[in-house]
mmCIF file of all heavy atoms in Angstrom:
data_model
loop_
_atom_site.group_PDB
_atom_site.id
_atom_site.type_symbol
_atom_site.label_atom_id
_atom_site.label_comp_id
_atom_site.label_asym_id
_atom_site.label_seq_id
_atom_site.Cartn_x
_atom_site.Cartn_y
_atom_site.Cartn_z
ATOM 1 N N CYS A 76 -84.469 1.521 -53.951
ATOM 2 C CA CYS A 76 -85.484 0.684 -54.672
ATOM 3 C C CYS A 76 -86.428 1.492 -55.469
ATOM 4 O O CYS A 76 -87.445 1.063 -55.966
ATOM 5 C CB CYS A 76 -86.179 -0.173 -53.704
ATOM 6 S SG CYS A 76 -85.106 -1.488 -52.979
ATOM 7 N N THR A 77 -86.304 2.834 -55.457
ATOM 8 C CA THR A 77 -87.172 3.755 -56.059
ATOM 9 C C THR A 77 -86.551 4.510 -57.125
ATOM 10 O O THR A 77 -86.557 5.710 -57.144
ATOM 11 C CB THR A 77 -87.844 4.712 -55.038
ATOM 12 O OG1 THR A 77 -86.703 5.393 -54.392
ATOM 13 C CG2 THR A 77 -88.633 3.995 -53.989
ATOM 14 N N PRO A 78 -86.082 3.878 -58.205
ATOM 15 C CA PRO A 78 -85.336 4.565 -59.205
ATOM 16 C C PRO A 78 -86.310 5.259 -60.308
ATOM 17 O O PRO A 78 -85.633 6.090 -61.047
ATOM 18 C CB PRO A 78 -84.558 3.425 -59.921
ATOM 19 C CG PRO A 78 -85.407 2.211 -59.690
ATOM 20 C CD PRO A 78 -86.254 2.296 -58.363
ATOM 21 N N LEU A 79 -87.472 4.856 -60.421
ATOM 22 C CA LEU A 79 -88.298 5.439 -61.433
ATOM 23 C C LEU A 79 -89.116 6.601 -60.824
ATOM 24 O O LEU A 79 -89.223 6.792 -59.652
ATOM 25 C CB LEU A 79 -89.051 4.343 -62.045
ATOM 26 C CG LEU A 79 -88.286 3.236 -62.584
ATOM 27 C CD1 LEU A 79 -89.300 2.171 -63.066
ATOM 28 C CD2 LEU A 79 -87.501 3.686 -63.776
ATOM 29 N N VAL A 80 -89.857 7.281 -61.781
ATOM 30 C CA VAL A 80 -90.780 8.350 -61.328
ATOM 31 C C VAL A 80 -91.965 7.719 -60.428
ATOM 32 O O VAL A 80 -92.128 6.458 -60.432
ATOM 33 C CB VAL A 80 -91.471 9.012 -62.549
ATOM 34 C CG1 VAL A 80 -90.404 9.852 -63.190
ATOM 35 C CG2 VAL A 80 -91.989 8.050 -63.617
ATOM 36 N N GLY A 81 -92.599 8.608 -59.745
ATOM 37 C CA GLY A 81 -93.673 8.135 -58.816
ATOM 38 C C GLY A 81 -93.261 7.501 -57.609
ATOM 39 O O GLY A 81 -92.143 7.729 -57.117
ATOM 40 N N LYS A 82 -94.114 6.644 -57.005
ATOM 41 C CA LYS A 82 -93.865 6.055 -55.734
ATOM 42 C C LYS A 82 -93.422 4.696 -55.815
ATOM 43 O O LYS A 82 -93.524 3.962 -54.763
ATOM 44 C CB LYS A 82 -95.177 6.322 -54.962
ATOM 45 C CG LYS A 82 -95.314 7.761 -54.508
ATOM 46 C CD LYS A 82 -96.510 7.679 -53.472
ATOM 47 C CE LYS A 82 -96.671 9.114 -52.775
ATOM 48 N NZ LYS A 82 -97.734 9.164 -51.824
ATOM 49 N N ILE A 83 -92.997 4.241 -56.939
ATOM 50 C CA ILE A 83 -92.737 2.812 -57.131
ATOM 51 C C ILE A 83 -91.782 2.325 -55.973
ATOM 52 O O ILE A 83 -90.702 3.009 -55.925
ATOM 53 C CB ILE A 83 -92.212 2.449 -58.501
ATOM 54 C CG1 ILE A 83 -92.103 0.928 -58.666
ATOM 55 C CG2 ILE A 83 -90.977 3.055 -58.966
ATOM 56 C CD1 ILE A 83 -92.185 0.376 -60.135
ATOM 57 N N ASN A 84 -92.137 1.339 -55.407
ATOM 58 C CA ASN A 84 -91.284 0.651 -54.361
ATOM 59 C C ASN A 84 -91.034 1.587 -53.169
ATOM 60 O O ASN A 84 -90.146 1.200 -52.248
ATOM 61 C CB ASN A 84 -89.967 0.094 -54.931
ATOM 62 C CG ASN A 84 -90.140 -0.941 -55.931
ATOM 63 O OD1 ASN A 84 -91.353 -1.554 -55.909
ATOM 64 N ND2 ASN A 84 -89.218 -1.239 -56.820
ATOM 65 N N SER A 85 -91.764 2.681 -52.876
ATOM 66 C CA SER A 85 -91.473 3.410 -51.674
ATOM 67 C C SER A 85 -91.988 2.667 -50.492
ATOM 68 O O SER A 85 -91.500 2.973 -49.365
ATOM 69 C CB SER A 85 -92.282 4.791 -51.882
ATOM 70 O OG SER A 85 -93.587 4.509 -52.043
ATOM 71 N N PHE A 86 -92.819 1.638 -50.684
ATOM 72 C CA PHE A 86 -93.179 0.824 -49.595
ATOM 73 C C PHE A 86 -92.122 0.020 -48.944
ATOM 74 O O PHE A 86 -92.222 -0.462 -47.754
ATOM 75 C CB PHE A 86 -94.391 -0.182 -50.054
ATOM 76 C CG PHE A 86 -93.716 -1.317 -50.862
ATOM 77 C CD1 PHE A 86 -93.202 -2.526 -50.319
ATOM 78 C CD2 PHE A 86 -93.739 -1.122 -52.289
ATOM 79 C CE1 PHE A 86 -92.658 -3.493 -51.148
ATOM 80 C CE2 PHE A 86 -93.126 -2.089 -53.106
ATOM 81 C CZ PHE A 86 -92.624 -3.265 -52.626
ATOM 82 N N LYS A 88 -89.533 0.778 -47.636
ATOM 83 C CA LYS A 88 -88.932 1.287 -46.336
ATOM 84 C C LYS A 88 -89.786 0.845 -45.150
ATOM 85 O O LYS A 88 -89.345 1.006 -43.957
ATOM 86 C CB LYS A 88 -88.801 2.806 -46.350
ATOM 87 C CG LYS A 88 -90.145 3.597 -46.474
ATOM 88 C CD LYS A 88 -89.804 5.112 -46.557
ATOM 89 C CE LYS A 88 -91.139 5.947 -46.776
ATOM 90 N NZ LYS A 88 -91.582 5.876 -48.081
#
Side-chain angles (χ1 to χ4, degrees):
C76 293
T77 54
L79 300 175
V80 283
K82 287 190 168 177
I83 188 159
N84 295 342
S85 59
F86 69 89
K88 60 178 180 291

